Amino acid sequence: MSEPDLTIRRGERADLPAVAELYLAVRQAAVPHMPPLAHDHDHVRAWVDGWDLRQREVWLAVHGERLVGFADLGPRWLNSLYVDPAAQRGSVGSALLDVVKSRLDGGFALWVFESNAPARAFYQRHGLVELERTDGWGNEERSPDIKMAWPGADAVGFFRRMIDEVDDQLADLLARRVALTRAVQPHKTSPRRDADRERRIAERMARTAPELGATRIGRIMDVVITESLEAAGH
């Protein structure tokens, strides 16, 4: 399929049933690169039918009268990009991703299953970078996934906005750490710090942040605990 054969257009409510069927077909064909769906087909159809097109954009790739791909996007996020298995390895995915980049020119992020090596390679070829990995706790399939991002023209500004969001979350966690440190002190049998417990904390945290490792996390947590104790008045 050559690119001139494609029509890319904005999706409307009447297109959503066809989008749901393509979504189901792609997910079924993608196993084992993607885990099985967490819901039955009727649930998926109802979910897609409920998309609020005032809050999200759906862009369609159409070949003749046949829907061969779609991209679902919201502010700063690419929710999904699926291409008919019969139309893959052509220009459909690239054409849709070009539209996404034009609509979200300030940059965007997405989640992709770790097991979906073809999708990860596709996004990497188009300039997206891997940012973080999870064990799948945040997705319905409970399958390990990877956050990827395209930073747009102002990469520094894009990544700094993401850093600011993480720092705000970190500030909230530090405030909670101080409050809990203060609360536990009257119940401790000894005012001394527990070195074994702190070592176990660092080792546990290193499983989530392997790039830092237990030694670095141990140094970080030593500062966090020291400053939390001082802030709590101990």
Side-chain angles (χ1 to χ4, degrees), residues 37-220:
L37 286 165
H39 301 284
D40 62 33
H41 288 196
D42 287 341
H43 183 103
V44 172
R45 292 182 181 106
W47 167 62
V48 174
D49 188 62
W51 287 358
D52 185 349
L53 298 185
R54 296 168 299 179
Q55 302 296 323
R56 66 206 302 163
E57 296 183 14
V58 177
W59 287 86
L60 310 179
V62 180
H63 181 235
E65 298 296 323
R66 186 166 68 95
L67 178 65
V68 294
F70 74 89
D72 165 33
L73 54 144
R76 298 174 59 189
W77 279 94
L78 173 56
N79 301 319
S80 56
L81 191 159
Y82 287 145
V83 176
D84 186 328
Q88 291 175 4
R89 298 182 180 84
S91 60
V92 178
S94 298
L96 284 168
L97 192 58
D98 285 345
V99 172
V100 176
K101 288 180 177 180
S102 70
R103 301 297 294 175
L104 302 177
D105 57 358
F108 63 88
L110 60 87
W111 287 101
V112 61
F113 290 114
E114 182 181 304
S115 58
N116 196 351
R120 291 166 53 194
F122 167 78
Y123 289 125
Q124 288 172 338
R125 286 197 304 270
H126 287 81
L128 278 77
V129 296
E130 295 186 359
L131 295 183
E132 59 188 79
R133 295 174 177 238
T134 84
D135 61 3
W137 65 266
N139 62 62
E140 293 182 321
E141 293 83 358
R142 297 296 186 265
S143 181
D145 55 8
I146 301 172
K147 187 177 185 178
M148 302 185 72
W150 180 72
D154 180 13
V156 172
F158 176 81
F159 287 122
R160 280 181 172 171
R161 286 192 296 272
M162 298 188 78
I163 289 170
D164 288 345
E165 291 176 0
V166 172
D167 286 346
D168 289 343
Q169 297 169 21
L170 183 58
D172 177 68
L173 291 173
L174 290 172
R176 291 165 57 189
R177 186 62 162 82
V178 171
L180 288 167
T181 299
R182 180 183 296 112
V184 76
Q185 297 311 310
H187 304 281
K188 292 171 62 176
T189 57
S190 170
R192 299 179 60 184
R193 289 171 58 171
D194 186 335
D196 286 340
R197 172 175 164 76
E198 292 181 18
R199 175 183 53 78
R200 292 194 300 272
I201 289 172
E203 291 173 350
R204 186 182 71 242
M205 293 175 70
R207 291 196 290 270
T208 302
E211 288 183 301
L212 287 172
T215 300
R216 287 192 180 92
I217 290 177
R219 293 197 294 265
I220 293 169

